[in-house]
Amino acid sequence: MHKVQAKGILSAKNGMNVYRGCTHGCIYCDARSDCYNIGHEFEDIEVKENAPELLEKALRAKRKRCMIGTGAMCDPYLHAERELEITRRCLEIIYKYGFGVTLLTKSDLILRDIDLIDEINRNAKAVVQMTLTTADDELCRIVEPNVCATSRRFEVLLEMKRRGIPTVIWFTPQLPYINDTVGNVLDIVGMGAEAGVRGIISFGMGMTLRSGDREHYYAQLDRYFPELKQRYIREFGDSYEIPCPNGKAMWKAFVGECERYGIMWKQDKIFEFLEEFPEPEQLTLEI
């Protein structure tokens, strides 16, 4: 872990990442890709030490309140967050200025801040997004080894439901010949239905691989799934998009189950919900 003084914190679309790199150890992590120019060992987390101060300055200057997003590139609840509490301090600032927040994570550490998330949701809007890739905890411990298992993330979703905090599942990626079964689709959507999620995001049934990410993923395949790397090389070569062979059946099951439970699955609708900031109700005078 190393600390830096960042020059800015909010993107043009009001997203922020207070860390760079990751310690969750997911074997498929796209953020390892060379195109992101991390510039340091991926597990040597870069900490934007002045993120809360930058965020406060940015929110003070905004003329209109909106949703602030975090987690798109780096999980806001890495192991370092337990000690540093930078994400929590940012949440306090978001609450102070009346903004909304969306958080994307794989970690149950988010429960530490549920009091703040609850207050933000009561005051404006908060959405918790949880990544679930496999309903099988044993498989989860292989593909996402340093973060809580799926069953624990499901418990987080249930707690959010109990408090009335809206949630979304990120059901991605699907790794060919690893978690790419119709049964897994049905299990994940079933969990979402029980947890009352508003939507489940899937970018099609498959994954992506590019330089930096591919080399790491193939090394993990050799470690945990012997001979599978050669199958990938034969079938997919150096392709960026890696579709699941039975992706059509998986997608049909995914859409069908989401429709059955009334869960949003169209990406544009879900992202519209995530970005929508609730306007205050206008008071009317009765004569």
Side-chain angles (χ1 to χ4, degrees):
M1 179 176 68
H2 62 283
K3 299 177 181 179
V4 299
Q5 293 292 305
K7 295 181 179 179
I9 193 62
L10 284 184
S11 71
K13 293 186 177 181
N14 298 307
M16 67 175 183
N17 288 287
V18 301
Y19 302 109
R20 293 192 80 197
C22 191
T23 49
H24 287 342
C26 304
I27 69 172
Y28 52 75
C29 184
D30 176 70
R32 290 180 178 272
S33 299
D34 294 342
C35 62
Y36 296 120
N37 300 312
I38 293 295
H40 54 82
E41 289 296 322
F42 195 67
E43 289 78 12
D44 177 21
I45 304 303
E46 179 180 286
V47 179
K48 297 177 184 177
E49 191 174 25
N50 60 333
E53 292 77 16
L54 290 174
L55 179 63
E56 182 156 25
K57 181 179 179 180
L59 297 191
R60 255 200 327 256
K62 281 190 174 293
R63 295 182 178 181
K64 189 175 181 180
R65 290 179 297 175
C66 62
M67 300 296 290
I68 306 298
T70 186
M73 272 298 298
C74 185
D75 198 309
Y77 289 101
L78 299 181
H79 300 87
E81 171 62 20
R82 190 176 300 277
E83 172 189 348
L84 298 176
E85 297 191 353
I86 294 178
T87 295
R88 182 174 179 86
R89 287 163 58 199
C90 288
L91 288 175
E92 290 171 343
I93 292 163
I94 289 169
Y95 174 65
K96 175 181 176 182
Y97 288 93
F99 284 71
V101 69
T102 68
L103 302 113
L104 172 58
T105 185
K106 290 186 178 87
S107 176
D108 60 350
L109 181 57
I110 193 172
L111 291 175
R112 181 201 65 188
D113 296 338
I114 198 167
D115 58 333
L116 266 173
I117 297 168
D118 200 356
E119 288 298 324
I120 292 171
N121 192 50
R122 293 174 188 275
N123 187 50
K125 178 182 174 183
V127 185
V128 170
Q129 304 170 77
M130 185 67 69
T131 299
L132 304 182
T133 58
T134 173
D136 183 339
D137 276 0
E138 291 306 311
L139 179 58
C140 180
R141 292 185 180 99
I142 294 173
V143 299
E144 299 158 349
N146 302 329
V147 67
C148 64
T150 300
S151 59
R152 177 57 175 160
R153 297 179 214 173
F154 177 54
E155 291 174 356
V156 173
L157 291 172
L158 290 176
E159 178 60 19
M160 298 298 165
K161 177 185 178 182
R162 190 183 73 80
R163 289 177 175 252
I165 298 169
T167 53
V168 167
I169 288 174
W170 283 64
F171 179 38
T172 183
Q174 290 79 44
L175 313 176
Y177 310 115
I178 296 177
N179 68 335
D180 61 334
T181 66
V182 170
N184 188 46
V185 173
L186 299 179
D187 287 342
I188 295 294
V189 177
M191 287 182 179
E194 187 174 345
V197 301
R198 299 291 185 89
I200 303 179
I201 294 173
S202 174
F203 298 99
M205 298 299 160
M207 65 181 304
T208 59
L209 286 176
R210 48 189 161 190
S211 179
D213 175 21
R214 180 182 289 106
E215 291 78 5
H216 177 78
Y217 182 63
Y218 280 177
Q220 301 309 306
L221 290 185
D222 278 342
R223 180 179 180 184
Y224 296 110
F225 306 97
E227 300 181 4
L228 196 51
K229 179 177 78 172
Q230 293 306 318
R231 189 171 188 177
Y232 271 65
I233 292 172
R234 286 196 308 271
E235 295 186 16
F236 308 121
D238 291 330
S239 298
Y240 170 62
E241 294 185 355
I242 311 296
C244 295
N246 60 336
K248 288 184 179 179
M250 293 171 65
W251 185 256
K252 182 178 179 180
F254 172 70
V255 173
E257 287 296 278
C258 286
E259 292 284 352
R260 183 162 79 93
Y261 289 116
I263 298 172
M264 288 188 292
W265 59 271
K266 293 182 179 179
Q267 294 174 30
D268 58 344
K269 294 296 183 183
I270 299 174
F271 286 116
E272 183 180 308
F273 166 70
L274 292 174
E275 295 169 6
E276 182 182 23
F277 185 83
E279 295 296 332
E281 293 184 6
Q282 296 292 325
L283 297 178
T284 57
L285 296 177
E286 293 185 4
I287 299 177

